[in-house]
């Protein structure tokens, strides 16, 4: 492992902490606190799930970019597809739940998109790195 991987991992970990703290504090607001009591998954579990998937994907991409840089983009597409499948399996109980306020669905979608943007950004950095 080189410095760039540890730097990427530190940035992703720091941003995951920011996402987690922001999300937890957001659901301390009076209007949202009542809705979060009915969540299938606690807020921190959702953030940790997507953080773990993101970190695993970035680890694999970093390893692949060292061994076979020409395949990095394809591996990213494959792993992102697996992430969407895992995310769907994770959110399936939430989707099947009939509720009036879709707060949990929106929260999970936003967290998913934030981590997907992080993955896309760091994959772009890996792809643009001069070999």
């Amino acid at each position: 492992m080189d410095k760039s991987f540890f730097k990427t991992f530190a940035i992703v970990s720091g941003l995951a902490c920011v996402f987690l703290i922001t999300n937890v504090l957001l659901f301390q607001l009076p209007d949202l606190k009542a809705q979060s009591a009915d969540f299938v998954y606690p807020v921190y579990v959702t953030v940790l799930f997507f953080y773990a998937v993101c970190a695993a994907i970035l680890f694999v991409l970093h390893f692949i970019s060292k061994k076979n840089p020409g395949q990095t983009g394809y591996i990213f597409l494959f792993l992102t597809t697996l992430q969407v499948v895992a995310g769907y399996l994770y959110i399936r109980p939430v989707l099947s739940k009939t509720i009036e306020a879709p707060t949990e669905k929106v929260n999970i979608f936003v967290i998913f998109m934030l981590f997907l943007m992080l993955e896309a950004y760091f994959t772009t950095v890996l792809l643009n790195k001069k070999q």
Side-chain angles (χ1 to χ4, degrees), residues 12 15-27 39 41-55 83 87 90-91 94 102-120:
V12 169
L15 287 172
C17 288
V18 169
F19 297 160
L20 178 62
I21 291 168
T22 304
N23 216 337
V24 169
L25 290 176
L26 182 67
F27 284 101
F39 281 7
Y41 302 112
V43 173
Y44 67 90
V45 171
T46 303
V47 174
L48 290 176
F49 172 77
F50 285 112
Y51 167 70
V53 172
C54 178
Q83 179 188 16
Y90 176 80
I91 196 175
V94 177
T103 308
E104 187 174 18
K105 294 174 186 176
V106 171
N107 184 48
I108 291 174
F109 179 74
V110 168
I111 293 170
F112 171 74
M113 291 307 294
L114 288 171
F115 281 106
L116 185 62
M117 285 188 290
L118 284 176
E119 292 167 21

Side-chain angles (χ1 to χ4, degrees), residues 11-107:
I11 291 170
V12 169
S13 297
L15 287 172
C17 288
V18 169
F19 297 160
L20 178 62
I21 291 168
T22 304
N23 216 337
V24 169
L25 290 176
L26 182 67
F27 284 101
Q28 294 303 314
L29 295 173
D31 291 341
L32 295 176
K33 190 169 190 156
Q35 290 180 5
S36 69
D38 295 332
F39 281 7
V40 173
Y41 302 112
V43 173
Y44 67 90
V45 171
T46 303
V47 174
L48 290 176
F49 172 77
F50 285 112
Y51 167 70
V53 172
C54 178
I57 287 174
L58 291 176
F59 177 78
V60 170
L61 288 175
H62 182 77
F63 180 77
I64 295 296
S65 73
K66 295 294 181 197
K67 298 288 183 190
N68 195 355
Q71 298 298 314
T72 305
Y74 297 116
I75 298 297
F76 171 74
L77 291 173
F78 175 73
L79 292 175
T80 303
T81 303
L82 287 180
Q83 179 188 16
V84 169
V85 170
Y88 174 74
L89 293 175
Y90 176 80
I91 196 175
R92 205 162 75 175
V94 177
L95 292 175
S96 64
K97 186 174 152 185
T98 55
I99 52 173
E100 293 179 17
T103 308
E104 187 174 18
K105 294 174 186 176
V106 171
N107 184 48

